């Protein structure tokens, strides 16, 4: 007689980081939408938004006897416990934002807690939709031993019609939500492959 037990699908824990600290940030809106998608059409993935605003500017004088400031310790633990990372990376001056780079640098301090994790990048903005920041972030990821999905890419021009976000920065465009869903499904599959849970 076959067992009636149902084998639970593994839950992938994703740490989501937004490079913008602005309340109404479109990039933060992408993360909120991703979290909602994981409560509905996407199963097997759980996304937690990890706030980088409390982090002090990187200063090795703040490292005492091998420990970091409390906000940094909490942040590093969140990254360490995650299976993969979702970056929402706006473009400032053709690159990543200062708050995001600061967070990356804190978590790369020994031991590097980014290492061997799958990652994906989404971005929203004007013009190229934040795309140039993604190229810099991928370069940074090489040294960190982060493994980014290559496809699909997600660059969103937030100012083209039809409207992509409401006045509070929430994603409202159905077609864009489908593109975001495709990124998350790719990240889920890639994470499982890296962990040897998917053949």
């Amino acid at each position: 007689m076959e067992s009636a037990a149902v084998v639970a699908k593994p839950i992938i824990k994703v740490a989501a980081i937004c490079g913008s600290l602005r309340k109404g940030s479109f990039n933060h809106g992408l993360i909120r939408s991703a979290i909602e998608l994981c409560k509905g059409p996407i199963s097997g993935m759980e996304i937690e938004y990890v706030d980088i605003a409390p982090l002090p500017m990187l200063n090795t004088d703040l490292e005492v006897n091998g420990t970091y400031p409390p906000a940094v310790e909490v942040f590093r633990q969140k990254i360490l416990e995650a299976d993969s990372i979702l970056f929402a990376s706006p473009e400032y001056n053709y690159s990543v934002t200062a708050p995001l780079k600061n967070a990356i640098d804190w978590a790369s301090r020994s031991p590097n807690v980014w290492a061997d994790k799958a990652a994906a990048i989404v971005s929203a903005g004007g013009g190229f939709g934040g795309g140039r920041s993604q190229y810099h972030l991928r370069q940074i990821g090489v040294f960190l031993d982060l493994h980014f999905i290559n496809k699909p890419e997600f660059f969103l021009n937030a100012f083209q019609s039809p409207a992509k976000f409401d006045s509070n920065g929430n994603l409202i465009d159905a077609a864009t939500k489908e593109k975001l869903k495709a990124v998350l499904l790719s990240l889920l599959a890639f994470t499982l492959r890296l962990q040897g849970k998917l053949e």
Side-chain angles (χ1 to χ4, degrees):
M1 184 176 179
E2 293 183 5
S3 170
V6 175
V7 178
K9 188 174 182 180
I11 298 293
I12 296 303
K13 293 183 178 180
V14 182
I17 299 169
C18 182
S20 174
L21 305 185
R22 189 172 65 86
K23 267 187 182 177
S25 164
F26 296 143
N27 288 275
H28 197 179
L30 293 177
I31 289 178
R32 288 195 299 273
S33 186
I35 291 171
E36 287 303 311
L37 285 169
C38 289
K39 293 177 180 177
I42 298 177
S43 62
M45 176 179 273
E46 186 178 89
I47 299 178
E48 179 184 1
Y49 169 62
V50 181
D51 189 7
I52 62 175
L55 297 175
M57 288 300 292
L58 181 71
N59 179 354
T60 53
D61 289 342
L62 300 177
E63 300 174 24
V64 180
N65 297 324
T67 63
Y68 299 95
V72 174
E73 291 282 8
V74 170
F75 176 71
R76 286 173 55 86
Q77 190 62 31
K78 293 283 188 184
I79 301 305
L80 183 64
E81 292 172 354
D83 297 299
S84 55
I85 311 295
L86 175 65
F87 292 99
S89 178
E91 179 183 321
Y92 287 11
N93 300 318
Y94 281 24
S95 189
V96 298
T97 68
L100 179 55
K101 184 60 165 61
N102 185 57
I104 288 170
D105 290 346
W106 270 124
S108 72
R109 299 292 295 165
S110 183
N112 170 26
V113 294
W114 301 109
D116 295 322
K117 296 184 188 294
I121 318 170
V122 296
S123 57
F128 193 21
R132 283 171 290 237
S133 74
Q134 295 198 20
Y135 298 142
H136 273 193
L137 186 49
R138 287 177 181 274
Q139 283 184 307
I140 295 166
V142 172
F143 184 76
L144 300 176
D145 290 323
L146 273 170
H147 307 293
F148 287 102
I149 63 168
N150 290 323
K151 297 284 173 36
E153 294 181 306
F154 187 106
F155 314 124
L156 178 64
N157 186 318
F159 304 102
Q160 288 180 337
S161 61
K164 305 298 189 292
F165 298 89
D166 65 17
S167 59
N168 294 314
N170 297 308
L171 184 64
I172 57 173
D173 182 61
T176 302
K177 287 184 180 181
E178 284 301 310
K179 291 178 181 177
L180 180 58
K181 178 182 173 183
V183 170
L184 296 176
L185 289 172
S186 179
L187 178 60
L188 173 60
F190 187 43
T191 304
L192 290 171
R193 280 204 304 275
L194 281 180
Q195 295 181 344
K197 297 175 182 176
L198 183 69
E199 294 182 359

